[in-house]
Amino acid sequence: MSDLDRLRHAMRVTERPGATVDLAAVMRDGRRLRTRRRVAGAGAATLATGLVAAIVAVVVGALPDDPRTVERPTQVAVAPPPVAVPPTASHPLGPTPTTTPGRGEPSPSPVGQIVDSGIRHGSDQRVFYVVQVSVPGEPRVTIGLAAGRRAPDGTVTTDLLVNDVEGADRSPGFHQIGYDSGGSGAPVPTFGYFVGPAQQIIGTVDGRQVGARLARWSADKQVVIFWFDPAKLAPGDKLDGIVARDGSDRRL
Amino acid sequence: MARGDAEFVEFARAASARLVHAAFLMTGDHHRAEDAAQTALARTYASWSRIRDDDAYGYARRILVNHLVDGWRRPIREYPTEEVPEQRRDDVADEVATRRWLTAILGVLSPRERAIVVLRYYFDLPEAQVARELDVSVGTVKSTSSRALEKLRSTGERAVDTEEACR
């Protein structure tokens, strides 16, 4: 038996079939974690006390020759029914104070201008906006991207928030992609942001290419917010790949 | 119990023993291994609505391995010699000897090397998938794996020599 075979054999024969974990504790801890994510979403979204957002952390990784494919597990906390909050589009640009749940700090607000996607849900507009977030142990993650709905009276309801959970939120390339998880009052188009001079963003699903719509973040033009028309890419459908191209049609 | 919860319980029952053992191979500590598996499963449950129709086991495995690589820096511990768990196998002496050999050879590896060895040779994952799960390049997996195997060979030879000398 070779060394490698012996190693494989040893790793298998030492399995303890009876080894189990405390499932009640697992589920209790999992529920707590889910709740913490919701609360973190509320604080990070800097929108309003009581606002709870879903946090999705899907990191889209790079492959050298093929369209980018999703490489990491998704971490999701499904939001309860969203809460409407006062309009925030008129808030000043620039950083807003980071709020921590329970500290009674000022209500959070979007950073920069709210982007109107042109998509309508009845009389509501589908909007996207950057918010400040705080991830423990990750000082270079300070922003996340939220999908929300703006009512005719200007109130904004957050449906989904995506943010990095490690690394740097301004590193070049794709960051997170938010997928509808069925937890909000209206389907959320697939959305995310790219850092760099992207002029086109193209997703691939089932061998079909779908172009995204783009808008640059008012506070940092390197941040390109993108979303897919729900008529072309059904909300919740996972992309098989995604690429960005510059004005010369060069892949970024 | 909600349908999702029932599905998760079924999944956790099926996956927990293997996850615990993988964690044990990476840490050499039964209690730490159970804690790590519990953490991985709790995080999996927190995201269950999203992943239950996907590769839930792969998700739990990735959480487990990265949790241990990031959080476990102490060297692998010896097995308590008095602890002989329930076994299906007849030859307990062989079992204990195998465990000691395994402990000795895995104990010389760094956390990342152990992770790669466990993913490659316990879970039998291809190099590309190991690279994805640990967020490193395939080249890093190859070089680390090769280095780890070299360490295992030299440690294995010493372990055999020591064993024979004790007889």
Side-chain angles (χ1 to χ4, degrees):
Chain A
M1 189 184 285
S2 72
D3 291 338
L4 196 52
D5 289 339
R6 190 177 180 197
L7 173 66
R8 279 196 166 105
H9 173 75
M11 288 198 287
R12 281 165 179 72
V13 298
T14 50
E15 277 183 13
R16 303 170 74 188
T20 55
V21 297
D22 181 347
L23 276 182
V26 163
M27 295 174 80
R28 185 192 61 229
D29 292 349
R31 285 192 192 99
R32 282 180 184 161
L33 178 58
R34 209 181 281 165
T35 303
R36 278 204 298 276
R37 287 177 183 166
R38 287 174 183 160
V39 172
T46 61
L47 281 174
T49 303
L51 169 67
V52 184
I55 300 175
V56 178
V58 180
V59 178
V60 179
L63 291 176
D65 298 310
D66 298 316
R68 288 169 167 270
T69 54
V70 176
E71 292 188 341
R72 291 187 174 230
T74 309
Q75 296 175 330
V76 178
V78 177
V83 179
V85 297
T88 49
S90 60
H91 283 220
L93 303 183
T96 53
T98 302
T99 56
T100 303
R103 291 190 184 173
E105 293 182 2
S107 293
S109 61
V111 181
Q113 293 176 348
I114 291 178
V115 173
D116 178 5
S117 70
I119 298 166
R120 297 290 177 268
H121 303 285
S123 58
D124 290 352
Q125 301 170 327
R126 169 60 63 193
V127 293
F128 298 101
Y129 40 93
V130 173
V131 297
Q132 198 163 42
V133 302
S134 174
V135 178
E138 298 293 341
R140 294 190 298 165
V141 178
T142 60
I143 61 168
L145 181 62
R149 280 167 288 144
R150 184 161 55 190
D153 65 0
T155 57
V156 175
T157 301
T158 296
D159 288 324
L160 201 61
L161 166 68
V162 295
N163 63 271
D164 282 339
V165 292
E166 61 182 8
D169 56 27
R170 307 295 174 86
S171 61
F174 285 99
H175 285 256
Q176 295 73 37
I177 293 182
Y179 290 103
D180 181 74
S181 57
S184 57
V188 179
T190 299
F191 70 105
Y193 75 91
F194 178 91
V195 176
Q199 294 291 328
Q200 291 181 77
I201 288 178
I202 300 159
T204 307
V205 60
D206 297 331
R208 180 171 58 92
Q209 293 196 324
V210 184
R213 296 186 60 188
L214 315 183
R216 294 197 177 274
W217 182 31
S218 61
D220 181 349
K221 298 296 186 186
Q222 284 296 302
V223 175
V224 179
I225 298 167
F226 64 87
W227 64 94
F228 290 91
D229 184 339
K232 297 177 180 171
L233 177 66
D237 278 5
K238 296 288 182 60
L239 290 166
D240 299 321
I242 189 167
V243 295
R245 296 189 181 280
D246 66 11
S248 306
D249 203 29
R250 189 171 56 90
R251 184 175 165 185
L252 299 172
Chain B
M1 186 181 283
R3 182 170 154 265
D5 285 356
E7 287 173 354
F8 175 76
V9 167
E10 186 180 352
F11 160 77
R13 282 185 178 142
S16 59
R18 201 132 199 260
L19 292 173
V20 169
H21 188 60
F24 171 74
L25 293 173
M26 292 179 64
T27 63
D29 183 300
H30 286 300
H31 296 298
R32 185 74 186 179
E34 286 171 7
D35 285 349
Q38 186 149 325
T39 297
L41 285 169
R43 292 184 188 178
T44 302
Y45 179 59
S47 301
W48 188 246
S49 61
R50 183 76 176 178
I51 63 171
R52 67 185 185 189
D53 296 328
D54 202 356
D55 180 13
Y57 183 67
Y59 180 87
R61 184 184 60 229
R62 285 191 291 275
I63 296 286
L64 176 83
V65 171
N66 284 292
H67 171 69
L68 288 171
V69 169
D70 292 343
W72 181 253
R73 300 288 182 224
R74 283 180 285 166
I76 197 166
R77 292 187 202 166
E78 288 288 339
Y79 290 90
T81 51
E82 69 279 10
E83 184 180 351
V84 181
E86 259 183 61
Q87 296 295 334
R88 292 167 299 178
R89 290 157 287 276
D90 298 329
D91 194 337
V92 174
D94 277 357
E95 174 66 26
V96 171
T98 302
R99 281 175 175 272
R100 283 184 177 154
W101 179 81
L102 192 58
T103 302
I105 62 169
L106 290 179
V108 301
L109 304 182
S110 70
R112 187 169 294 282
E113 287 170 341
R114 284 207 297 271
I116 287 175
V117 165
V118 170
L119 289 172
R120 284 283 287 128
Y121 304 118
Y122 178 61
F123 287 113
D124 284 328
L125 299 185
E127 285 170 339
Q129 191 171 348
V130 174
R132 281 197 297 275
E133 298 208 354
L134 292 174
D135 197 19
V136 297
S137 68
V138 173
T140 299
V141 171
K142 286 181 175 173
S143 61
T144 308
S145 185
S146 170
R147 195 166 55 244
L149 289 178
E150 189 52 44
K151 281 186 186 178
L152 295 181
R153 281 191 193 100
S154 58
T155 308
E157 285 164 11
R158 283 202 303 275
V160 169
D161 291 345
T162 305
E163 209 172 300
E164 286 173 352
C166 291
R167 283 179 183 168

